[in-house]
Amino acid sequence: MFSLRQLDLHPRIIGALNKVLKAEETGVTLSLGCPLLDRLMRGGLPVGAVTELSGESGVGKTQLALQLCLSVQYPARHGGLDSGAVFVCTEDAFPGKRLRQLIGEQPRLRPDLPADVTSGPGFGDRVYVEHAPDLASLQQCLRRRVALLLARGLVRFVAIDSVASLFRSELGPADWQERSKELMALSATLRHLCQQYNPAVLCINQVTDIFSGSQEYSGPSWSDVCPALGLAWANQVTVRLMLRRLGRTVSRGGRDSALRRLEVVFAPHLPRAGRHAAVWKEGVRGLEGDD
């Protein structure tokens, strides 16, 4: 396969052709790796947009991001993008052991897929890991290394885990002007990547306490927390999801898992809805009988 620039066309012609190609991909989604969760999302994460996933620590946000790193490798006819993923870590070490476990458990997670899709040679290998310990490093990573992977067609899914950790560690409450500036710069970089290369982008966010009378959050009040980073960040994402723990357990085949619920807080193409889910050895799965 060759690039449009190799045809030695006028830049305006190249731009027009790129717009046509993107128009053909309008409505393309990336499967979450579970048919029930895909039903909630009408196919999965929208391609060419920034999706935020918020939730408390340990609720399963990273698990779902890892699952997407594998589902992006599925062929398009099975909900994937037949490409790779780049996972940007900003706080913890990359959970490589868990990723390897998920790779081995793919036939159990998606028994509907042909065996050669999830068990074939090379499946799971197309996950690139980057580390960004501060905001400057994150910007450099996205603008250079991630952009290069996207430009070469090596990846179509970008996960950042997490966006809030760097802002919380580097900027205090008194630095609100600098925080807003950095948030706008990050969102501008992500929008540019989406417009230029059309990936699905997932930003994992932390949560903060809701205080009585607070006007920062207009979504449903789940427990006493809301997504971090305030309205300045909320206005920059296309889709906001929230994963919460319900305080009950579910059993399946002799195994137990804490019950979760994945909620659509807002999205231009989705109604506000949710689905119960659980985290198993093979990954995050939606539960039947709950829409």
Side-chain angles (χ1 to χ4, degrees):
M1 187 174 181
F2 51 84
S3 69
L4 294 176
R5 295 194 180 278
Q6 288 177 300
L7 296 175
D8 195 26
L9 299 176
H10 190 279
R12 289 185 180 178
I13 299 177
I14 294 175
L17 289 172
N18 279 327
K19 288 181 180 179
V20 171
L21 292 174
K22 287 183 179 181
E24 291 178 349
E25 286 202 316
T26 299
V28 174
T29 57
L30 169 59
S31 170
L32 276 72
C34 169
L36 292 177
L37 297 181
D38 286 343
R39 188 185 305 168
L40 171 68
M41 297 292 296
R42 291 185 181 173
L45 298 192
V47 168
V50 178
T51 299
E52 178 204 69
L53 175 62
S54 298
E56 296 177 285
S57 177
V59 75
K61 305 183 298 296
T62 299
Q63 304 270 345
L64 194 55
L66 292 175
Q67 195 159 301
L68 284 156
C69 286
L70 298 181
S71 68
V72 72
Q73 300 180 49
Y74 300 162
R77 65 183 180 279
H78 296 302
L81 300 174
D82 197 18
S83 187
V86 56
F87 195 106
V88 183
C89 305
T90 67
E91 46 184 335
D92 298 323
F94 179 74
K97 182 177 180 180
R98 176 57 172 154
L99 178 65
R100 291 190 293 272
Q101 185 180 54
L102 290 175
I103 293 171
E105 293 289 329
Q106 280 288 295
R108 180 185 291 185
L109 179 69
R110 292 296 304 270
D112 56 307
L113 299 185
D116 62 339
V117 172
T118 56
S119 301
F123 179 77
D125 291 345
R126 293 185 286 177
V127 180
Y128 300 84
V129 180
E130 295 285 348
H131 296 273
D134 52 57
L135 289 171
S137 298
L138 178 59
Q139 283 282 15
Q140 184 179 54
C141 174
L142 293 173
R143 292 174 178 175
R144 296 184 181 182
R145 296 191 293 278
V146 172
L148 182 61
L149 290 170
L150 289 167
R152 291 181 175 178
L154 297 175
V155 304
R156 288 290 304 280
F157 173 62
V158 180
I160 304 175
D161 189 8
S162 68
V163 292
S165 61
L166 299 183
F167 287 91
R168 285 180 160 178
S169 63
E170 293 187 35
L171 302 171
D175 303 318
W176 62 271
Q177 286 184 317
E178 182 64 21
R179 185 178 75 162
S180 295
K181 177 182 176 181
E182 292 290 349
L183 282 171
M184 295 304 103
L186 175 59
S187 65
T189 299
L190 294 175
R191 284 199 306 271
H192 173 75
L193 293 178
C194 288
Q195 293 167 1
Q196 190 77 13
Y197 306 110
N198 219 29
V201 176
L202 180 70
C203 293
I204 294 177
N205 195 3
Q206 299 171 352
V207 292
T208 187
D209 292 333
I210 296 177
F211 296 100
S212 178
S214 173
Q215 300 299 314
E216 278 204 1
Y217 183 56
S218 60
S221 176
W222 298 317
S223 183
D224 56 352
V225 298
C226 70
L229 301 179
L231 287 174
W233 172 251
N235 290 330
Q236 306 307 313
V237 301
T238 304
V239 177
R240 167 167 278 181
L241 307 176
M242 193 161 185
L243 188 61
R244 63 187 179 107
R245 193 181 287 106
L246 297 183
R248 306 196 303 272
T249 60
V250 290
S251 299
R252 178 177 182 172
R255 300 177 294 166
D256 295 329
S257 171
L259 183 62
R260 279 94 164 168
R261 186 168 178 84
L262 181 65
E263 297 276 355
V264 177
V265 180
F266 62 71
H269 63 299
L270 299 173
R272 182 172 289 176
R275 177 170 288 278
H276 288 170
V279 179
W280 309 102
K281 184 179 180 181
E282 65 269 23
V284 183
R285 305 183 73 159
L287 300 179
E288 291 278 8
D290 172 57
D291 291 309

